[in-house]
Each structure stands twice: as C-alpha cells, then as structure tokens.
C-alpha cells in the first residue's frame, strides 16, 4: 500500500498486486500491477474509483486512517470494471450516505454487477462537482476502454483522473511519480497495457485525446501505474502515436513450428530482410512468446510476416490464438506476408489466407508454402517475399 499526497487535499492510494499471474486472466504480468484510487479531503470528501476486491480491507482501513470519523460523501466512478469497482459494495456498506457520481451508462453497469444505488448524481460532459476548495469537472471518453468510461478533472490543481487511460502494468516499487522512477522499466509495460487493453479502441482514444486537449492538465493520475506530473508528454505522445498507428519501418515475423521446418523458413526471410537494410526485425515463436508481447511489436512495426505449419487441416493453434487477438483488436494498416509448411493436404497457409482476407492488409507477395524440408525453389520464393516486403517498406 502506498499513500502519497498529490496536492493539498488530494491523496493517492495505490495497492500493488504481485500475486496475479494473468491480468484479466489473459495477459501475463510478471512485474505485477497497481490499482490506484484517489481521495479528496475537503469540505466534502470524495473518492475517485476504488480498488480490486482482494484489497478491500486494507483500502477501507487506509481511508479511515486519512479521514477518521468523517463520512465519504461521494464516490466518483470513472470506470466500472471490477478491478476498480471491487470495493464498491463494501464502501457503501461502511459509508451508507455516500453518493455515487457517474453517467447514465455507469449506473446501468453498477446495477448489473452490484446493486441499484440509492444516492446518485448523473453527470454529463463538463458538469462540475463542488467539494469546497476543489472542484471536479467530468468528461466521458467512451470505449477507452468501456462504454461508461469518463475522466474527472480537478480544475484548481489541474489533476486529470484518467481511469485506465495512460495506465501501466508493473507495480509501483516505491516511486509513484514519473520523476521518481526510471521510465525505461515502464516503457514496455505502459505500451503493453495500451496495446493489450485499450488497443482495440484506437479511434476512440484519438477522439478522447482531442476531447481533452483544451484542459490545462498538470498531472495525470491513472488507475494503474505511475502518476505523471513532470513529463506528461512522455505518455501523451506515446498514446497519440500508438492510437494513430504511426509505425516504424520494421518487420515482426511470427511462426508456429513443431519440427523446425516452418522456423527455418522464418529464418530465411529474416536474414534477407536484414540484408535489405531493415534493422528492426523481431522473430517470435508463437508457442513461446505470449501475444501480449508480440502485439506490442506489431503496433511498433508496419511489416508482419506470419508462418504456420499445418496442424489437423488448420493453422497451428498458437499462431491461431495470436491471429484471433489481432483480428479482435482490429489492428490496422499493416503490410502482410504469409508462409507455411505441410505434409499431406495442408491447412496452415489456407487459414493464413483467410486471415489476410479478413484483415484487408496489403499482402506484399503470394503465399509461400513448402512440403517438408526447405528446397531451393521455395527458398527463392521466400527471398522474393522478403524483397517485396523490403520494397514496400522503403516506398512507404
Ligand atoms: C498433430 C499433427 C497434425 C498435422 N496435421 C497436418 C495436416 O492436417 N495437414 C498437413 O498437410 N500436414 C499436417 N501435419 C504435418 C506437418 O504440417 C508437417 O510435418 C510440417 O512439415 C511441420 O512443419 P514444422 O517442421 O514447422 O513443424 C501434421 C503434423 C502433426 C504432428
Ligand atoms: Fe479497465
Ligand atoms: Fe483497470
């Protein structure tokens, strides 16, 4: 538990989770994650979001340690996902006078998960809530990354309570502010949080960035990861870049292979790309590296070349999982190459071709397929596939 003052009346309360292996039971978090809640102690007392339910007891204790016998007047719900609303019922039980602040969609969700709240304030864009010295102003940012998502802006301190936007995987190991920590550690974790959780909603993120542009933001307080107060542009510029698919020249090569034949094909392509001067080449075995990490590089580099051996008339399942993830995220604007290996009637490349059809990415070259060991003619085809990718990247 970290309890840190952000400004005169505003407290950060963060809980580190080093136990959970998979966030949302899907994304690996080897460095853990923090759940951040915020408390404003003024003439009125307001909480902004709560925490995951495993922290309920500590959370209530820490609120009490800061406000004593006073009551919590408001709970602002920027985001209803259970990792932030987990303490909602416990909070209402302890502070029955609390008024929930949210939008129409928030309360529909509250009801479907927990209860029909008795005391609510329904807010619309630019409505404000006076707490005394502090004043919160609200704006919805739909689908970043849930329908009810909104932000709260404290107009005097310029603190933006951003919900999941600008959040990060990774616990807060002592430091909580961007200037207290070495951001190299968070480079991958902020991006993974974005690509894994928010990445499907790039267009909505772009809209949100524009919608918040007129606010004079002096601090960004997200529900996970560091609080940004010194170099806000570090995270803002990255969000802008990623959500606009502003990618670098580079190629991610992913393959699924049991006996190494498909892998050999991948190595041939990678080597040729390097000979053609491409420095950013990342080769991944889909059975080894989780999609959470591969997706990051797919958001970084425009080229994507994917290979699969045939497996029971279809794609190798671990490659299939990655492609399903990419498809569900609606990743845009890539250059694509496909290849594969088989023994009898194939299946891998056929499924890859269906993926190509669905994604509508530009396919730089015809599919390259080999039966068993790699032979001279197919090797030549792989070189041509790599050349086509290099040419397209150069002309972009
Ligand atoms: C469980 C299993 C299922 C397979 N299913 C197919 C298939 O449906 N069609 C096919 O042409 N080859 C199939 N194969 C053969 C492989 O695709 C072939 O051996 C290929 O060369 C393997 O490539 P790799 O060395 O990259 O693993 C299968 C192999 C295994 C072990
Ligand atoms: Fe969320
Ligand atoms: Fe979250």
């Amino acid at each position: 538990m970290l309890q840190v003052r952000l400004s005169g009346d505003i407290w950060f309360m963060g809980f580190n989770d080093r136990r959970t292996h998979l966030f949302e039971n899907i994304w690996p978090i080897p460095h853990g994650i923090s759940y951040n809640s915020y408390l404003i102690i003024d003439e009125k007392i307001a909480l902004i979001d709560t925490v995951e339910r495993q922290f309920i007891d500590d959370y209530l204790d820490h609120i009490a340690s800061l406000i004593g016998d006073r009551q919590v007047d408001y709970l602002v719900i920027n985001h209803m996902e259970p990792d932030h609303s987990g303490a909602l019922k416990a909070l209402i039980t302890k502070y029955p006078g609390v008024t929930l602040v949210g939008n129409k969609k928030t309360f529909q969700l509250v009801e479907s998960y927990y209860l029909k709240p008795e005391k609510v304030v329904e807010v619309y864009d630019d409505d404000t809530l006076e707490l005394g010295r502090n004043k919160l102003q609200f704006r919805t940012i739909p689908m970043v990354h849930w329908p009810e998502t909104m932000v709260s802006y404290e107009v005097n301190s310029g603190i933006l309570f951003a919900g999941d936007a600008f959040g990060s995987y990774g616990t807060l190991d002592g430091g909580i502010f961007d200037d207290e920590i070495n951001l190299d550690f968070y480079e991958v974790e902020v991006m993974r949080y974005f690509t894994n959780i928010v990445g499907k909603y790039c267009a909505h993120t772009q809209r949100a960035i524009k919608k918040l542009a007129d606010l004079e933001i002096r601090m960004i307080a997200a529900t996970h990861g560091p609080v940004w107060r010194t170099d806000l542009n570090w995270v803002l510029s990255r969000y802008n870049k990623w959500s606009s698919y502003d990618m670098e020249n580079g190629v991610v090569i992913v393959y699924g292979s049991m006996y190494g034949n498909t892998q050999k094909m991948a190595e041939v392509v990678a080597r040729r790309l390097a000979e053609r001067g491409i420095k950013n080449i990342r080769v991944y075995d889909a059975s080894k590296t989780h999609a959470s990490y591969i997706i990051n590089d797919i958001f970084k580099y425009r080229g994507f070349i994917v290979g699969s051996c045939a497996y029971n008339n279809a794609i190798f399942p671990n490659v299939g999982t990655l492609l399903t993830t990419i498809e569900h995220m609606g990743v845009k604007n890539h250059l694509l190459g496909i290849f594969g290996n088989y023994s009898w009637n194939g299946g891998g490349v056929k499924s890859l071709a269906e993926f190509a059809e669905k994604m509508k990415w530009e396919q730089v070259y015809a599919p390259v397929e080999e039966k068993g060991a790699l032979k001279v003619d197919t090797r030549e085809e792989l070189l041509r596939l790599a050349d086509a990718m290099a040419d397209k990247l150069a002309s972009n």
Side-chain angles (χ1 to χ4, degrees):
M1 160 70 192
L2 292 148
Q3 193 173 287
V4 181
R5 201 190 279 269
L6 295 190
S7 78
D9 303 316
I10 304 180
W11 289 85
F12 163 98
M13 293 186 293
F15 294 81
N16 283 323
D17 179 357
R18 295 193 177 83
R19 278 198 181 182
T20 303
H21 289 265
L22 296 174
F23 186 69
E24 293 182 349
N25 213 15
I26 169 168
W27 309 108
I29 42 170
H31 301 293
I33 192 162
S34 74
Y35 308 95
N36 310 337
S37 171
Y38 298 90
L39 176 65
I40 307 179
I41 308 173
D42 199 333
E43 285 160 32
K44 296 284 182 190
I45 292 181
L47 278 166
I48 300 169
D49 291 316
T50 72
V51 290
E52 220 262 348
R53 65 179 174 207
Q54 61 177 304
F55 301 105
I56 286 175
D57 285 349
D58 277 356
Y59 179 62
L60 294 178
D61 285 351
H62 278 279
I63 294 168
S65 77
L66 287 168
I67 69 172
D69 292 337
R70 292 183 64 188
Q71 296 294 302
V72 176
D73 297 290
Y74 297 105
L75 169 62
V76 177
I77 305 173
N78 280 337
H79 184 27
M80 239 300 298
E81 194 167 2
D83 57 333
H84 308 294
S85 63
L88 187 143
K89 267 179 133 171
L91 194 86
I92 293 175
T93 305
K94 180 158 185 191
Y95 300 105
V98 66
T99 296
L100 305 193
V101 181
N103 55 71
K104 208 183 210 83
K105 288 182 180 146
T106 321
F107 298 125
Q108 287 165 6
L109 284 166
V110 168
E111 210 176 321
S112 67
Y113 279 85
Y114 301 107
L115 43 74
K116 189 170 168 55
E118 279 171 24
K119 304 179 76 176
V120 301
V121 175
E122 191 174 301
V123 294
Y124 296 84
D125 277 350
D126 289 327
D127 280 359
T128 55
L129 180 70
E130 303 274 357
L131 301 171
R133 297 171 293 277
N134 298 270
K135 180 162 119 180
L136 291 172
Q137 180 185 349
F138 307 100
R139 280 195 194 164
T140 60
I141 51 165
M143 297 319 298
V144 182
H145 63 122
W146 271 31
E148 87 303 358
T149 315
M150 63 179 202
V151 298
S152 308
Y153 173 72
E154 203 290 296
V155 298
N156 300 312
S157 56
I159 300 177
L160 182 77
F161 301 96
D164 279 348
F166 314 113
S168 182
Y169 294 144
T171 49
L172 294 165
D173 297 346
I176 72 150
F177 296 108
D178 59 336
D179 51 83
E180 290 181 333
I181 54 192
N182 184 342
L183 288 177
D184 292 352
F185 168 76
Y186 289 97
E187 183 78 56
V188 173
E189 298 300 80
V190 170
M191 184 171 194
R192 270 200 320 129
Y193 189 82
F194 171 80
T195 61
N196 298 182
I197 308 298
V198 186
K200 178 177 173 60
Y201 304 104
C202 285
H204 299 84
T205 304
Q206 280 288 305
R207 255 171 255 147
I209 289 171
K210 289 186 181 85
K211 191 167 177 179
L212 303 179
D214 66 309
L215 300 178
E216 211 187 289
I217 301 169
R218 291 201 285 277
M219 205 185 287
I220 297 175
T223 45
H224 305 281
V227 173
W228 308 89
R229 72 172 176 190
T230 298
D231 187 3
L232 274 54
N233 198 45
W234 191 100
V235 71
L236 286 168
S237 63
R238 279 168 176 76
Y239 259 65
N240 194 31
K241 183 178 162 80
W242 301 330
S243 61
S244 57
Y245 291 104
D246 177 6
M247 291 167 288
E248 289 158 44
N249 270 355
V251 182
V252 178
I253 303 174
V254 183
Y255 64 85
S257 178
M258 296 172 283
Y259 302 113
N261 293 288
T262 312
Q263 176 182 355
K264 276 181 195 150
M265 298 174 81
E267 309 283 9
V268 169
V269 174
R271 179 61 204 153
R272 180 64 151 214
L273 289 168
E275 283 169 0
R276 290 291 309 267
I278 294 171
K279 294 207 168 137
N280 295 308
I281 306 168
R282 294 277 168 278
V283 181
Y284 288 111
D285 182 331
S287 298
K288 177 147 186 224
T289 306
H290 195 282
S292 171
Y293 291 88
I294 302 176
I295 280 284
N296 254 26
D297 279 339
I298 291 173
F299 267 82
K300 254 187 224 162
Y301 305 122
R302 188 170 299 283
F304 181 61
I305 300 181
V306 55
S308 175
C309 61
Y311 195 88
N312 295 339
N313 295 320
I315 199 164
F316 192 62
N318 293 353
V319 179
T321 303
L322 173 70
L323 298 189
T324 304
T325 306
I326 293 172
E327 205 188 310
H328 287 177
M329 284 183 179
V331 178
K332 295 198 169 37
N333 299 347
H334 280 70
L335 298 168
L336 177 68
I338 63 180
F339 65 95
N341 205 296
Y342 71 108
S343 277
W344 52 94
N345 54 356
V349 167
K350 198 176 72 200
S351 304
L352 290 174
E354 285 163 16
F355 168 78
E357 182 68 31
K358 276 187 233 155
M359 295 308 293
K360 309 216 170 344
W361 292 348
E362 180 177 354
Q363 209 172 321
V364 298
Y365 197 70
V368 181
E369 201 166 16
E370 179 61 281
K371 188 172 183 172
L374 182 59
K375 288 143 203 96
V376 176
D377 288 357
T378 314
R379 194 172 189 284
E380 286 299 316
E381 282 292 286
L382 288 171
L383 297 179
R384 271 175 233 138
L385 164 63
D387 284 342
M389 180 61 81
D391 290 343
K392 279 283 173 199
L393 286 173
S395 71
N396 257 309

